[in-house]
Amino acid sequence: MTSKLKLLVATGAVTAAMLGANPAFAAGTTSGTDITNNVSVSFQVGGVTQTAETDSDTFVVDRQINLTVAASDTATTNVSPGQNDAVTTFVVTNTSNASLDFSLAASQGPATNGGTDNFDVTGLQVFVESGATPGYQPGEDTATFINALAADDNQTVYILGDVDAGQSTGDVSGVVLTAVAREDDGAATLGAALTNDSGSANGANTVETVFADAGEDATEAAGDDYTVSAADISVFKSSRVVSDPINGTTNPKAIPGAVVEYCISVANAPLSATATSVTISDTLPADTPAGGVTFSAGSILVDGTVASPGASQVCSGGTAGGSFADPVVSGTLSDIAANSARALIFRVTVD
């Protein structure tokens, strides 16, 4: 009878404790915690209170292994042809009930944000955010695995890859980050592989390890992708006769002494990436015994406007700039956004 009463009261005490417990973290009670329940049974014999019977039970909380890996956002990472160390960002969360190390690996994968994967970035690398400065910092974020990540804590991880210079606008490359839970060895080294004890008998005073992730392999992965955004540049060069010594500006002809204006336009196609650091270098023809042209000093204009870039283009405006180092005319244009054009304009005199 006493044993039955002990069991009944102990069961009730456990149930009450569960109902009255505070909300737990996602990872649950920390692995290795001793859970002790005490029971006391009072009773009387012949109306006389007897010494209460007591007992207790202790078991240790086992280790449940779980983790999540997710891209930091749902948008693709825009990259340029020839870009090195292009960064995608992930978050690894330890939803286990124990501190763990995590090994990390980057691989090619499918597109995850729309589009079709049609090329591979090269030179894949994985680095862990050090926490000193937000965002990937070369020379600062150097760890290649996660060390001693506490239960319910998370860590930012970066994948870096190189984009071939020959890629075109709209090309997509998918990448995958894989994280594997490992032992927290208490040192700044990657701990040993974990062993799943799900198939073995439970020991009340032994910490067993149970893999609770989807694949029951202590491994999770997530994908992200890069989308190439390239500038689609076209260059057009045209000339017009501004004046000549005979006709002035009325129907002028390209005779000796005539002033000729060159327009070099740079146009960027619709939906393209903005072209930056656009530098033009134009070499004037060398003088020959038969003649040539002479550069008109101070005539260079940059960032001119262009109507109908191409064979029939009309160029105007601009601001003074550029330089001439015989026989080269050069100048730098401001950034050229998609579906727009800018021009470098200069004049020469026919010899």
Side-chain angles (χ1 to χ4, degrees):
M1 179 60 111
T2 300
S3 298
K4 290 182 180 179
L5 283 173
K6 288 180 180 178
L7 178 61
L8 178 62
V9 175
T11 302
V14 171
T15 302
M18 293 176 63
L19 291 174
N22 292 325
F25 291 108
T29 303
T30 302
S31 168
T33 300
D34 285 337
I35 303 295
T36 301
N37 287 324
N38 298 309
V39 63
S40 176
V41 178
S42 59
F43 61 99
Q44 293 181 340
V45 175
V48 179
T49 299
Q50 305 296 304
T51 302
E53 292 288 341
T54 62
D55 201 359
S56 66
D57 176 78
T58 299
F59 65 89
V60 65
V61 175
D62 291 323
R63 185 170 59 171
Q64 177 177 282
I65 304 301
N66 210 344
L67 68 152
T68 63
V69 180
S72 290
D73 56 47
T74 57
T76 191
T77 299
N78 290 316
V79 294
S80 303
Q83 181 177 346
N84 291 327
D85 294 338
V87 178
T88 53
T89 307
F90 297 81
V91 176
V92 176
T93 303
N94 182 13
T95 54
S96 309
N97 64 341
S99 176
L100 297 168
D101 291 353
F102 292 87
S103 65
L104 304 167
S107 60
Q108 308 293 338
T112 55
N113 297 298
T116 301
D117 180 283
N118 65 347
F119 83 99
D120 291 341
V121 292
T122 58
L124 289 176
Q125 302 178 80
V126 179
F127 295 107
V128 179
E129 166 67 56
S130 68
T133 307
Y136 172 68
Q137 305 295 323
E140 184 175 294
D141 301 324
T142 58
T144 57
F145 65 91
I146 299 174
N147 187 60
L149 186 62
D152 281 310
D153 204 355
N154 60 68
Q155 181 66 63
T156 298
V157 176
Y158 305 107
I159 287 181
L160 278 64
D162 301 333
V163 182
D164 187 84
Q167 300 306 139
S168 303
T169 295
D171 288 349
V172 178
S173 177
V175 291
V176 173
L177 176 68
T178 301
V180 181
R182 311 269 292 199
E183 295 283 358
D184 178 359
D185 59 2
T189 55
L190 182 62
L194 295 167
T195 300
N196 191 359
D197 297 321
S198 292
S200 60
N202 182 63
N205 297 306
T206 303
V207 177
E208 277 89 28
T209 298
V210 177
F211 291 177
D213 58 292
E216 296 185 359
D217 55 3
T219 302
E220 291 293 336
D224 203 348
D225 53 35
Y226 300 95
T227 299
V228 176
S229 182
D232 187 0
I233 294 296
S234 298
V235 178
F236 307 97
K237 185 175 182 179
S238 61
S239 64
R240 70 182 183 94
V241 181
V242 176
S243 64
D244 72 44
I246 305 301
N247 301 296
T249 59
T250 303
N251 298 319
K253 304 298 185 289
I255 60 177
V259 176
V260 176
E261 182 178 86
Y262 285 108
C263 173
I264 303 170
S265 69
V266 181
N268 198 1
L271 306 179
S272 297
T274 297
T276 62
S277 301
V278 180
T279 301
I280 294 173
S281 180
D282 184 89
T283 302
L284 298 182
D287 286 333
T288 67
V293 296
T294 298
F295 173 72
S296 297
S299 67
I300 303 174
L301 300 172
V302 296
D303 289 339
T305 58
V306 186
S308 303
S312 60
Q313 67 186 5
V314 177
C315 302
S316 60
T319 58
S323 63
F324 176 67
D326 194 12
V328 178
V329 177
S330 60
T332 300
L333 304 180
S334 298
D335 295 353
I336 304 175
N339 200 31
S340 64
R342 296 182 184 275
L344 181 145
I345 303 166
F346 67 94
R347 293 182 177 186
V348 297
T349 300
V350 180
D351 294 337

